[in-house]
Amino acid sequence: MIIRHVTFDCADPYALATFWSDVTGWPVSDVDKPGDAEVLVEAPSPVPGLLFIRVPEGKTAKNRVHFDWMPVERTRDEEVDRVMALGATLHEDHRTPEGLGWVTLRDPEGNEFCVERSAAERGA
């Protein structure tokens, strides 16, 4: 068995997929367009894609599952700044004065995700 997609319930699938496409650098599927009820962000194999599906109800509680992202080309702090410039908002800042820790952000529809230190930062 393999995981094919990670699915997000949301109000605006295309807008949220575009945000996550910008965050990850993965493309929105060529067949998807604004107004579609389902929109796929295609991840490189074997990583599961991100599928966004319109639902009528809004988010009402903390996510039970969330992503912990580790930047590859930037530091944690550079990645936090970049993703916030794309539309994420700060939820909780768990960085310490020693440089350890992570940052919990929310995507434009309020889904929490974390940004951790890069591998280079962990090796320093």
Side-chain angles (χ1 to χ4, degrees), residues 54-98:
R54 180 178 296 115
V55 298
E57 62 277 351
K59 183 178 179 300
T60 59
K62 182 182 183 307
N63 295 10
R64 299 283 300 224
V65 175
H66 69 265
F67 293 123
D68 289 342
W69 293 98
M70 185 174 70
V72 175
E73 299 172 355
R74 287 172 279 282
T75 67
R76 173 203 54 212
D77 296 345
E78 291 168 340
E79 187 67 5
V80 167
D81 291 344
R82 184 185 79 85
V83 174
M84 288 183 68
L86 294 171
T89 55
L90 179 64
H91 178 59
E92 297 175 338
D93 192 334
H94 300 277
R95 293 177 279 195
T96 68
E98 300 80 31

Side-chain angles (χ1 to χ4, degrees), residues 8-10 12-21 52 107-109 111:
F8 290 73
D9 291 350
C10 59
D12 187 339
Y14 194 84
L16 199 54
T18 299
F19 167 81
W20 281 103
S21 175
F52 299 87
D107 73 14
E109 290 205 16
N111 300 298

Side-chain angles (χ1 to χ4, degrees), residues 45-58:
S45 182
V47 177
L50 306 178
L51 182 62
F52 299 87
I53 298 177
R54 180 178 296 115
V55 298
E57 62 277 351

